[in-house]
Amino acid sequence: METDKLLTGTANGASGDYGSGSGTDCGSGSGTDHGGGPGSRRMSYSVAGELCSVEGGTEDEDLYIQQAVVFIEDAIQYRSINHRVDASSLRLYRWYYSRICQWFLGLTIAVVLLLAFVERPSSLSISSDPRHRSPPWEPPCGLTESFEMLCLIIFSLDLAVKSYLIGWEEFRKSKWLIAYTVVISVSIIDWMLSVSMVCDEKLRVRRLLRPFFLLQNSSLMKKTLKCIKRTLPEIASVILLLALHLCLFTMIGMLLFAKTEDPKKNEEWRLHFRDMPSSLTSLLVLLTTANNPDVMIPAYSLNRAYSIFFVAFSVIGTYCLMNLLTAIIYNQFRGYLLMSVQTSIIRRRLGIRAAFHVLTCQGAQQAAEERVRVDAVLLVMSRVQMKSYYRAAITKETRQYADLGYMDREQFSKIFDELDKDRIKEHPPLPQYNSPVLQRLQVVFSHYYLTILGNAVALANVICISTFLVLNSEKSTTKRDNFLMEIINLCFILYYLFEMCVKIFAFGWRGYLSYRNNIFDGFLTILLLILQITIYITYRLPYSHWDPSSHSVMSLWEMIRLVNMLIVFRFLRIIPDIKLMALVASTLLDLVKNLRAFAGILVVVYYVFAVFGIWLFEGAIKPPPEMSVLSNTTMENITSNFSMECGTYEQLAYWPNNFDDFAASIILLYDVMIVNNWQAFMEAYSRYTTDWSKIYFVCWWLTSSVMWVNLFVALILENFIYRWDRSHSCSVTDVERIRYETSVQLMFKEQIQEPTEEELLCQLHQHPHLHLHG
């Protein structure tokens, strides 16, 4: 379809003296505990890399090639090289990190997480509203448990393979693997208790532990979690200042709005400042602006001077302290994330350096010099699992040294700078036509103005649809002039078909499909054409024979509505042709692809809070009987907790938002994260349970809205600024051609310091399975 090459020029990596002042603890005399004595393995190196003794012949050389392949794959994926390096272990290692194996492990994690939607309380019902919710399907005991045990067995095998590959010494140092062992053990014990109780237990501890399987399978997610943990103490002072601000204004508010002898002046006290818990809650919600200006209206209606209290509280708390908290969270988290990314870059450099080391042992004739054979490097690159365009670029760079036959260390490291370059799509050449007329038409139909004309026609089509929707908004579907709209749509679709055909003529099939927007346009055009043919087969012409009431599977309006939705969706074709919109859209797509670790952390947090919510509040709120006749009854005769005051849970009919099952819990937590009317949920659950339930909602607000949302917004800004800085000098065509391989590592590349040669050698010396000696 199209070929790819990498953007020319050297990588923009910052080169600094990483070994001085910052970095790892490697130094002279440190980290030698893991080194083995001579003869403990059949190969050994000097720290200076000048001596290399090899026992055996061809088998050893094949082993060195295999080791180099794995080390380079580790470097590409930012993996640690501290694993076994014998032939059988390397085969197991490559199988374990193969795409099929990792995909299967990811599917297992997804299955064990999705079990929460099926287990009791099941989410398998159309509605979550308890007023008219049908009884959900409850799986028989042993069904979900069988799937769960199968997943636990797979996790146990995963743990066994990981533990074997890194060895016992490394396993003892890995807190994540030890925790993995504990989580699997506790889950199996809890599973056995559940089965022995015929699935009638009230509390399933293993449900709370399931998100751990997602965390431990992602190295970047682990780094993110570590960064969040290290960031928390840094923002404690601002949190304390925010709490002090809240308490101070709470006491002032209780003094200002104390109960008086005049009942008309007690409205503010009655609604918001009756006692300390209600006062704290009212001002905490005001901090999120969810109850503004409702909270100050009773006092403001009596005296406009009372507004000073609420305005001062909001300005100091919402606009100063909360924004300061956001800035500190972003700054501190970014600093710790940069440190973690630094470790990833060291892993890449270390993997490349280790590959060079083992390749220097591949051939006895170069034992006295630190060089590698070009043919050995080419052989390694042919076996490495990597993206084809990176392989082609590195192979091309390697072949430049074919005349010399050897590469030194710097040359070997330099060829892997191609991994940090951007990919450029190379579109196939235009087809050649002999006829001058066809050549002239090809020039016309391949011009950029044809795309502009197509965008204008798509805009006119959308305007026509909007006009019809406005004119017919008050009419029922049977009274609308669907026939006229259908004729207009047919004219536009015929133009779309014409545009697609002439572009295929101008660019050829392969050239046409090499543009993503052409694939988008072509697919929707063919789909629209099929729908139009179906409509005209179903509803005959001419107009006088058309009966709007006659339809088979779908009515004419339903089919036209589907066509119109596709046409509106097709209008998104304008995005790649507007530079800023293209950058914004590509940034969003890039976030989905490359910042999955942060979304994974949010999934874990949602999962844990949803499970806790079900434990604490399942079935807590039950609607009173005969809700349809509530207006003819008195609230006192129904329940003491029921409230129909304006803005309450019951008055707003928030019944579908509850903790009665896992899916409903997720939606409720999302509603609270948005913070619009979140006080209604907090107030309702405090009435139906206890006031201590407010702690749960406040913790969720701090975790989701204050912490995670601010971090995610900051990372969106980082991603967009990174892409904008690299694309501000590019044209729209260049933005279309260049595919930026954005990752967290590349986003922070300018601030990363490269490790020194001494640093890398020291790390290699600490390798638990490659024993070096001086």
Side-chain angles (χ1 to χ4, degrees), residues 488-715:
I488 294 175
N489 283 344
L490 176 62
C491 296
F492 282 105
I493 291 172
L494 289 177
Y495 173 80
Y496 298 152
L497 182 63
F498 166 78
E499 182 187 28
M500 183 182 72
C501 292
V502 297
K503 282 188 175 181
I504 292 175
F505 161 76
F507 295 100
W509 275 107
R510 294 179 65 249
Y512 178 83
L513 295 177
S514 66
Y515 294 88
R516 288 172 293 182
N517 54 333
N518 284 345
I519 298 175
F520 178 77
D521 282 353
F523 173 75
L524 289 181
T525 299
I526 293 174
L527 190 57
L528 287 169
L529 185 63
I530 293 173
L531 285 173
Q532 286 297 114
I533 294 173
T534 305
I535 289 173
Y536 279 93
I537 291 176
T538 306
Y539 302 95
R540 313 285 182 179
L541 290 177
Y543 178 75
S544 56
H545 297 290
W546 170 69
D547 182 8
S549 63
S550 64
H551 60 273
S552 53
V553 181
M554 297 176 64
S555 66
L556 178 62
W557 162 247
E558 290 171 338
M559 299 185 77
I560 292 178
R561 179 168 57 182
L562 179 58
V563 169
N564 289 340
M565 286 190 292
L566 291 175
I567 290 174
V568 172
F569 186 64
R570 188 183 183 278
F571 186 65
L572 296 177
R573 59 169 281 166
I574 69 168
I575 290 178
D577 300 319
I578 302 176
K579 180 179 176 180
L580 184 58
M581 291 181 65
L583 279 176
V584 172
S586 61
T587 300
L588 293 177
L589 292 175
D590 201 62
L591 283 171
V592 175
K593 182 175 64 175
N594 292 314
L595 298 184
R596 289 170 293 184
F598 302 95
I601 295 292
L602 184 63
V603 169
V604 170
V605 173
Y606 260 97
Y607 204 100
V608 170
F609 271 87
V611 171
F612 269 120
I614 294 174
W615 288 354
L616 296 173
F617 307 118
E618 180 187 357
I621 297 181
K622 291 182 173 60
E626 300 178 2
M627 286 290 295
S628 60
V629 295
L630 275 180
S631 57
N632 299 324
T633 60
T634 58
M635 298 301 102
E636 292 79 9
N637 295 331
I638 298 175
T639 173
S640 59
N641 289 326
F642 196 90
S643 173
M644 285 296 287
E645 293 183 3
C646 182
T648 59
Y649 181 94
E650 295 85 359
Q651 186 270 330
L652 294 170
Y654 281 172
W655 303 105
N657 294 283
N658 52 61
F659 287 101
D660 292 350
D661 59 69
F662 191 78
S665 303
I666 294 292
I667 299 300
L668 190 149
L669 291 175
Y670 172 78
D671 292 336
V672 175
M673 186 178 75
I674 301 300
V675 302
N676 184 40
N677 269 355
W678 72 293
Q679 73 278 7
F681 303 107
M682 184 165 56
E683 187 269 339
Y685 277 96
S686 65
R687 277 192 286 110
Y688 283 92
T689 57
T690 66
D691 283 336
W692 293 102
S693 63
K694 293 179 180 180
I695 298 177
Y696 172 86
F697 290 95
V698 172
C699 289
W700 171 246
W701 167 71
L702 286 172
T703 303
S704 62
S705 185
V706 176
M707 285 290 297
W708 189 88
V709 171
N710 286 330
L711 289 175
F712 195 64
V713 169
L715 287 164

Side-chain angles (χ1 to χ4, degrees), residues 155-172:
F155 292 142
S156 300
L157 292 174
D158 176 56
L159 174 63
V161 172
K162 282 182 177 178
S163 303
Y164 168 76
L165 288 175
I166 67 172
W168 173 246
E169 292 297 326
E170 291 294 308
F171 175 83
R172 291 193 303 174

Side-chain angles (χ1 to χ4, degrees), residues 294-348:
D294 300 348
V295 68
M296 78 170 185
I297 289 300
Y300 183 60
S301 62
L302 296 177
N303 191 332
R304 69 179 71 226
Y306 282 125
S307 63
I308 298 174
F309 170 81
F310 297 99
V311 171
F313 176 82
S314 296
V315 169
I316 297 173
T318 305
Y319 296 106
C320 293
L321 292 179
M322 290 297 291
N323 288 329
L324 179 63
L325 182 62
T326 300
I328 290 177
I329 289 174
Y330 169 51
N331 185 62
Q332 295 298 327
F333 182 82
R334 190 179 187 277
Y336 288 126
L337 186 61
L338 178 60
M339 292 170 57
S340 296
V341 171
Q342 181 80 63
T343 304
S344 297
I345 297 299
I346 293 177
R347 284 184 172 184
R348 170 168 286 187

